Each structure stands twice: as structure tokens, then as C-alpha cells.
Amino acid sequence: MTRMDLQGRRVLITGGSAGLGRAIAEAALGRGADVTVIARGAARLAEVARLGARVLAGDATDAAFMDASVRETQPDVLILNAGAPLAMGQIDELDFEDFSTNWNVDAKAGLAGIQAAFRAPMATGSRVLVMSSGAAMVLSAAHIPNQSLYLSGGYVGAKYMLWFMAHNANAVSERRGLGIHFQVLAPTQLMAGTQLGLNVASAYADLKGVTPEAYLQQRYGPPLTPSHLGEQVADILSDPRYRSGVAYGLTVGGAPVGLDT
Ligand SMILES: NC(=O)c1ccc[n+]([C@@H]2O[C@H](COP(=O)([O-])OP(=O)(O)OC[C@H]3O[C@@H](n4cnc5c(N)ncnc54)[C@H](OP(=O)(O)O)[C@@H]3O)[C@@H](O)[C@H]2O)c1
């Protein structure tokens, strides 16, 4: 592996103006990639433009906008990271609109992005990375108890759906002989370093009467930071060892962990 492997490669990132998307954009820019960021708000887009990214203002759930963005930028790598803040609440309290927030943003944007990759189509050898969450492992990982997610409503389902959609897209890519490889990113910890992460941590921390930072320390131990996560995503894109797997956990340990193939 060489840290130059992203040099000149075109990387398109949805939700790249803040939080994890911005950290991934910064890591890719740091390795010489030609980065384009999609988000809605102009002020934060202007900030990433100043870092050297190109920016496209628009909604990642808008299929026509995503089609046009992929056709225009012809990315070697498309990162479908955009996600909505969670409507925090118990299942006996949330109405359907709040419960399905992340289905209507995260999963819908995932579908729009995956379909844009197929419609363009992206080139043979290109990659599409879908942002899921370690929360999607709740029923298969003993260290994630159900009770730790009981305020997170439909979020877990949306993130599990995105994971499945990547596998589904690989099956279609193979059937159509397109050579586009779909992969899943699963941050294994909640991060207070993003607005979304802070909001979720605050909701659980309030119930325990502790600070969000204390809650996260108790729940996970040492914190995973967005910049550390951004570097791991850049490693996944640079290091041939991560070329063919499907899902990778992003961890505080430093190296992405293969979750499924
Ligand atoms: N933070 C965590 O601890 C954590 C853990 C696991 C997984 N994740 C996942 O990682 C992703 C990023 O989370 P984050 O914590 O970085 O969130 P964040 O800080 O709230 O940032 C979200 C980004 O997405 C953009 N965005 C939101 N909706 C959009 C839409 N419809 N179209 C285009 N852009 C949109 C936002 O910009 P605009 O609002 O201006 O459009 C912003 O750039 C999400 O999918 C989240 O579920 C986060």
C-alpha cells in the first residue's frame, strides 16, 4: 500500500459538509484525491470548498439530482454518507413520521445513490461506500445489547437496510457484469464529535444523569473521533486488503475490521 493511492482519484461524498462526511473529505483531500461534496446548507459547503473540495448543493434523496451529480463528476468512489438526525424516543411514544425519519432520508438517499451508480453507470473497478452503523449489528453482536438502542426508533432498521442494500447491489452489479463494488462502513461507536452523535449520546446520557462524554466513556471506553474515522475510510480506499470485502467496522483500534465478505 502507498498513501498516494488516492492521488487524483475522483471521490464524491454525500453529506460531506459536516461530521463524518467532512472528516472523510478532509482525509481524502489530504491524500491528494479530487473531492466533490454534496449537502444542502450553503454555509458549511462554503467551508469545505475553502479546504479544496468542489461542492454541489442539493438533496441526496433526490434521485434526479443524484443521477446528474454522478454523471457530471464521474467518481471513482461514491460515498453515500448523508443521514438525518434521529428523532429520539421510545417505540410507545414516537409517531410513524418520526419513527421513519431515517428510512425517508438515509435509506432513500442510499437507494438514490445506488441507482445513480447503476444508471451512469460508474466505471468498472469503481466503488460505492454506504454509511451504515455498528447499531445495525445489534441482533448479531453480543456486545450491543438491545437496551442500549431503545430510544433510537427506526434508525437501526434504516442502517441495517443500507447494509443489505449494498449486498443486493453487488448481486446486481455481478449479474450485469458492471464491476462496481459496493461496500458498507459501520462506525462501531457513537461519536460526540458530530452533531448527530452528540444528540444521540445526550438523550441516553440525560436518562442516566451524566454528561454525553461520561455516557460514551462508560459505554465504549476511549472515544473514536471523526478524523480518526476519516483516515480509516481513506485506508479502506488505498489499501488493496480492503478492496474486496463488503462490510468494514471502523474502530478506535485504528484498523478497519472486516465484518462480512
Ligand atoms: N456520528 C455518529 O456517531 C455516527 C455513528 C454511526 C453512523 N453514523 C452515520 O454517519 C453519517 C453521518 O453522520 P454525522 O454524525 O456526520 O451527521 P451530521 O454531523 O449531522 O452531518 C450530516 C451531514 O449530512 C448532510 N445531509 C443531511 N441530510 C442530507 C440530505 N438529505 N442531502 C444531502 N446532505 C444531507 C448534512 O448537511 P446539510 O444538512 O446541510 O444537508 C451534513 O453535511 C450518517 O449516515 C449517520 O447515521 C454516525
Side-chain angles (χ1 to χ4, degrees), residues 14-22 37-45 56 58-62 65-66 80-86 102 104-106 109 131-135 155 159 162 185-200 224 226 229:
T14 68
S17 68
L20 304 187
R22 174 166 164 163
V37 156
I38 285 174
R40 297 161 304 173
R44 293 191 300 193
L45 278 176
L56 293 171
D59 191 325
T61 66
D62 178 339
F65 169 72
M66 285 305 297
L80 302 174
N81 161 78
L86 283 68
N102 298 99
N104 289 319
V105 178
D106 307 34
M131 182 61 81
S132 179
S133 168
Y155 176 79
K159 291 309 196 188
L162 283 161
L185 302 172
T188 56
Q189 295 185 202
L190 191 58
M191 281 156 277
T194 79
Q195 195 55 55
L196 182 153
L198 184 60
N199 289 350
V200 176
L224 175 62
L229 180 142

Side-chain angles (χ1 to χ4, degrees), residues 75-213:
D76 301 301
V77 177
L78 170 61
I79 303 182
L80 302 174
N81 161 78
L86 283 68
M88 302 297 293
Q90 297 183 182
I91 196 163
D92 57 343
E93 293 168 346
L94 291 175
D95 62 22
F96 186 73
E97 193 181 339
D98 282 343
F99 191 79
S100 58
T101 303
N102 298 99
W103 306 357
N104 289 319
V105 178
D106 307 34
K108 186 175 180 184
L111 184 65
I114 287 168
Q115 292 188 340
F118 281 123
R119 285 196 193 102
M122 286 172 62
T124 297
S126 61
R127 291 160 82 175
V128 178
L129 273 51
V130 177
M131 182 61 81
S132 179
S133 168
M137 295 158 64
V138 63
L139 296 178
S140 54
H143 66 281
I144 310 175
N146 281 339
Q147 293 83 345
S148 68
L149 295 165
Y150 84 105
L151 295 178
S152 297
Y155 176 79
V156 178
K159 291 309 196 188
Y160 187 78
M161 176 57 76
L162 283 161
W163 196 318
F164 175 72
M165 285 159 69
H167 278 281
N168 203 331
N170 277 327
V172 173
S173 177
E174 199 172 314
R175 283 176 69 85
R176 292 178 54 182
L178 290 173
I180 308 169
H181 188 46
F182 294 82
Q183 296 180 300
V184 177
L185 302 172
T188 56
Q189 295 185 202
L190 191 58
M191 281 156 277
T194 79
Q195 195 55 55
L196 182 153
L198 184 60
N199 289 350
V200 176
S202 300
Y204 288 107
D206 282 353
L207 288 173
K208 291 180 180 284
V210 298
T211 63
E213 289 73 19

